[in-house]
Amino acid sequence: MNRNILPEKNGITVIISVICTQHAAKAVIKTPTSVIYLQDIPANLANFAAKPTRKRKDMTLNDFLAYVKTGKPLNTEEIFLFMNEMSNEARKITFKLNTSYYTPDEVREMLAELFGQPVNPTLRVFPPFYTDFGKNIHIGQNVFINACCHFQDHGGVTIGDGCQIGHNVVFATLNHGTAPEDRIYTYPAPITLGKNVWIGSNATILQGVTIGDNAIVAAGAVVTKDVPANVIVGGVPARFIKSI
């Protein structure tokens, strides 16, 4: 028998017992005035209930950042809980940032809080700015990010010095599994921009992509593969247009 005594409530102590047999079990609730037998439950479920609950280990930011570098699926309870907590924290900051006017210095202060690290004083961002994580964004000097950009940065987004990011650009570092049974899980991979990269409006940069120095991504492009330095790419999916 497994017995749990619940804290006293309204002057009544409730005792919950699980009586196990080989094939089934009965859950019993006892109070000072009554005994209630609930319906039979499967023995394996009762045995599971009889086992002590394993204390969950909370994931830290460093744990998560180390894990995403492996590229393994984000598919554990600890990861789900951590991502939900971080998403809530990030949205609190972005909702504030995106619903009022702030000076450039004030914007940088909020971005530093969002990123969890100081930002370069040469960074210029035109809100609204969107992210559901924020703690894996790394930005160099003299970077400009125009309005309505979306950073899904769990896998890591690195933007080199002198980059120019147009309106509505999406950085997506997570991809879902292709098999139906794997579709619920996501797989992280980093996005890296070299120096002096120009990303045109409404472009989408997908997970695992590296864009070389001085490259240009045309407006509306969807970049699925690495882009060499000193070239222009465009289209869906993005293809080589010409060298610079």
Side-chain angles (χ1 to χ4, degrees):
M1 175 185 294
N2 179 52
R3 171 176 290 188
N4 297 298
I5 301 177
L6 302 184
E8 184 175 294
K9 185 176 182 181
N10 298 327
I12 299 175
T13 299
V14 179
I15 301 174
I16 298 179
S17 303
V18 177
I19 304 172
C20 299
T21 66
Q22 182 177 2
H23 301 292
K26 290 182 181 295
V28 182
I29 299 177
K30 295 183 179 180
T31 74
T33 59
S34 62
V35 177
I36 304 171
Y37 289 88
L38 304 182
Q39 66 183 41
D40 290 352
I41 56 176
N44 60 346
L45 180 59
N47 291 332
F48 175 79
K51 295 179 181 179
T53 302
R54 180 177 64 86
K55 185 177 180 181
R56 178 175 62 84
K57 177 183 178 295
D58 290 335
M59 174 167 274
T60 67
L61 176 60
N62 287 337
D63 292 338
F64 182 80
L65 294 178
Y67 184 86
V68 295
K69 289 180 180 178
T70 68
K72 294 178 180 178
L74 306 179
N75 62 355
T76 70
E77 179 188 5
E78 290 79 7
I79 290 173
F80 292 154
L81 290 172
F82 175 81
M83 290 175 68
N84 284 336
E85 291 168 2
M86 296 305 294
S87 175
N88 290 335
E89 180 180 319
R91 287 183 290 119
K92 287 179 183 178
I93 300 170
T94 57
F95 285 10
K96 179 181 177 182
L97 173 65
N98 297 337
T99 54
S100 185
Y101 171 78
Y102 296 96
T103 67
D105 285 339
E106 289 171 332
V107 170
R108 283 188 285 269
E109 288 178 8
M110 279 186 273
L111 291 175
E113 181 183 2
L114 181 61
F115 298 169
Q117 58 185 326
V119 300
N120 193 280
T122 61
L123 172 64
R124 190 74 188 274
V125 174
F126 284 179
F129 178 93
Y130 302 99
T131 179
D132 56 356
F133 184 48
K135 297 299 188 289
N136 209 0
I137 299 173
H138 311 277
I139 300 176
Q141 301 180 40
N142 298 307
V143 170
F144 173 68
I145 300 174
N146 217 324
C148 298
C149 289
H150 296 251
F151 284 67
Q152 185 196 59
D153 61 290
H154 302 81
V157 177
T158 300
I159 297 178
D161 296 347
C163 288
Q164 309 288 310
I165 312 299
H167 298 85
N168 294 310
V169 170
V170 174
F171 296 93
T173 67
L174 299 180
N175 199 11
H176 289 268
T178 54
E181 63 274 14
D182 196 36
R183 197 76 49 79
I184 190 174
Y185 302 124
T186 53
Y187 293 77
I191 293 171
T192 303
L193 274 59
K195 297 180 179 180
N196 301 314
V197 173
W198 174 19
I199 309 294
S201 296
N202 294 296
T204 298
I205 317 300
L206 297 184
Q207 60 147 204
V209 165
T210 295
I211 299 176
D213 294 349
N214 306 314
I216 297 174
V217 175
V222 176
V223 184
T224 62
K225 298 179 180 179
D226 290 353
V227 176
N230 302 301
V231 302
I232 300 175
V233 299
V236 181
R239 295 181 175 85
F240 172 81
I241 295 176
K242 68 176 183 179
S243 297
I244 299 173

